[in-house]
Amino acid sequence: MTKYWIAPTEYNPQHEAIVEAAAMLRQGEQVGFPTETVYGLGADARNTAAVEGIFAAKGRPSDNPLIVHIADMGMLEELVVQVDPVSRKLAEAFWPGPLTLILPLRPGVLSPRVTAGLDTVGVRMPDHPVALSLITAAACPVAAPSANRSGRPSPTLAEHVREDLGGRIAGLLDGGPTGVGLESTVAMAGSDGRVHVLRPGGISPAELALAAGCAVVVAAADAGHPPQPGAAPGADAPQPAGAAEFRPRAPGMKYTHYAPQGELTVVGDGHAEPARVAERINQLLHEAHAAGQRTGVLVPAEHAAYYRGAADLVIPCGSLADPAATGRELFAALRRFDEAGVTRIYAEAYPADGIGLAVMNRLLKAAGNRILDV
Ligand code: TXA
Ligand code: MG
């Protein structure tokens, strides 16, 4: 049985639901909770059995490190050896908020299962009253990946968490829909004087550059397009400023993520003539129907009319005029195709600027990098 609470709408570590959920965390149990990005599945990051419970509930490979969530800067100083000046600027600019910083881990303070044995840790302070209340009430660093079964789209509603993990976790705080809808930007201030984006998210490279006052590079495998053959990911990986050694980049990025059950293909490059993209997708829909497939289309609202009547399910996902809405709606849209039993999905590529970089990153992962040019 999973205990379910309606969470308070304001910061309140004394709220009854928060106090109960925090007590579960301190007892080594796993609790789902909202953040401003996606729902997280939390556990006490110091407790190895508790952290192992996260991997078990999600069915997640255990060499994929977890992000540690904090509620104040005092918690940060306890977790890391040092905070280099660039990381400090980024934390000051964006915390609380959808940014995870990779920093040198202070030995012995966390279960080694959290970091998968790395000597760095990903830390973030979420900008959500329920998450901050829960971490404060639990008074421990909270390890929390997205609260979905491994490989499924991340949850942006408590209902998604219940679908995936109901009965497998101790508790679930329902705080309504999340804000950004895509997981945090994962970034690291490198010893090469540049900020490396290991996973694009709600904070764009341009925003990072402005706050950090230095160059920002996006890891090739994550730049919103498929990795180039021959480009060894991580070959030019810098040391995080202040750490003795650095191994993989964002190790989680090698796994299949977000994949709907139907086969998803991305069409175009986000800048092609809309009528040509529509013509190509309509032709693909025609072929898929002839092959007995149940079809779906995912497009910005402005283009939905191109496909009405041509696909079994057309989901307008955000709009070109409001790219943030695309981020908010993407994961729920992917789940809807599954519910409708769609076996072939075609998505128009979105422009990969600002939040669009993260949208395209998730869309291409969901598509297993299946992309067709027009
Ligand atoms: O928005 C988010 O970040 C959500 C919410 C719940 O906070 N959490 C989340 O966690 O997406 P998760 O565990 O699904 O993603 C963690 C990502 C993975 O890509 C992982 O490889 C990377 O962060 N990561 C964690 N620790 C790392 C480290 N020490 N070095 C490099 N990458 C790391
Ligand atoms: Mg995840």
Side-chain angles (χ1 to χ4, degrees), residues 36-37 70 73 86-101 123-128 132 180 184-187 195 197 201-214 216:
E36 83 282 29
T37 59
I70 59 171
M73 290 306 273
V86 170
S87 296
R88 196 168 290 280
K89 275 197 225 171
L90 292 175
E92 276 165 11
F94 299 112
W95 282 359
L99 175 68
T100 295
L101 291 169
V123 187
R124 89 177 191 95
M125 190 189 294
D127 186 16
H128 195 290
L132 292 172
V180 179
S184 60
T185 302
V186 178
V195 171
V197 174
I203 309 282
S204 70
E207 290 173 296
L208 291 174
L210 198 62
C214 67
V216 173

Side-chain angles (χ1 to χ4, degrees), residues 101-274:
L101 291 169
I102 306 299
L103 292 163
L105 172 67
R106 187 185 291 278
V109 295
L110 295 178
S111 162
R113 301 301 302 272
V114 171
T115 55
L118 298 176
D119 53 14
T120 54
V121 60
V123 187
R124 89 177 191 95
M125 190 189 294
D127 186 16
H128 195 290
V130 175
L132 292 172
S133 301
L134 179 66
I135 301 162
T136 301
C140 65
V142 175
S146 49
N148 50 285
R149 287 282 292 173
S150 196
R152 294 265 290 153
S154 295
T156 53
L157 291 171
E159 188 49 38
H160 299 157
V161 182
R162 197 154 29 183
E163 263 167 41
D164 280 17
L165 301 176
R168 305 177 66 92
I169 60 177
L172 171 58
L173 283 160
D174 186 345
T178 58
V180 179
L182 302 173
E183 304 85 345
S184 60
T185 302
V186 178
M188 183 183 72
S191 54
D192 60 355
R194 305 184 299 177
V195 171
H196 295 253
V197 174
L198 309 184
R199 178 178 73 181
I203 309 282
S204 70
E207 290 173 296
L208 291 174
L210 198 62
C214 67
V216 173
V217 287
V218 180
D222 259 343
H225 50 70
Q228 298 304 305
D236 60 340
Q239 306 283 330
E245 194 198 343
F246 181 72
R247 276 168 286 164
R249 281 175 174 257
M253 302 317 283
K254 70 177 187 253
Y255 297 104
T256 313
H257 272 69
Y258 323 116
Q261 275 138 37
E263 183 187 284
L264 170 64
T265 303
V266 178
V267 182
D269 63 1
H271 298 285
E273 174 63 40

Side-chain angles (χ1 to χ4, degrees), residues 25-26 28-29 42-52 54 66-70 75 79 105 108-115 121-122 138-144:
L25 289 180
R26 292 196 65 89
E29 294 184 293
D44 181 346
R46 304 164 306 182
N47 177 337
T48 291
V51 174
E52 281 171 348
I54 291 178
L66 306 176
I67 292 171
V68 176
H69 296 66
I70 59 171
M75 290 178 89
L79 289 179
L105 172 67
V109 295
L110 295 178
S111 162
R113 301 301 302 272
V114 171
T115 55
V121 60
C140 65
V142 175

Side-chain angles (χ1 to χ4, degrees), residues 308-333:
R308 292 254 152 76
D312 296 311
L313 179 63
V314 178
I315 299 189
C317 180
S319 72
L320 297 174
D322 184 3
T326 310
R328 279 197 302 274
E329 295 169 18
L330 179 66
F331 287 139

Side-chain angles (χ1 to χ4, degrees), residues 270-358:
H271 298 285
E273 174 63 40
R276 277 183 51 215
V277 177
E279 192 185 331
R280 184 73 201 272
I281 292 180
N282 274 302
Q283 176 199 343
L284 292 162
L285 289 169
H286 187 76
E287 289 164 15
H289 278 143
Q293 303 285 341
R294 191 169 164 76
T295 59
V297 165
L298 184 142
V299 289
E302 291 90 338
H303 297 170
Y306 282 123
Y307 309 98
R308 292 254 152 76
D312 296 311
L313 179 63
V314 178
I315 299 189
C317 180
S319 72
L320 297 174
D322 184 3
T326 310
R328 279 197 302 274
E329 295 169 18
L330 179 66
F331 287 139
L334 293 177
R335 283 176 182 259
R336 277 183 57 201
F337 288 116
D338 284 353
E339 285 154 25
V342 169
T343 56
R344 276 289 161 80
I345 309 159
Y346 299 100
E348 286 189 8
Y350 286 73
D353 323 308
I355 185 81
L357 183 70

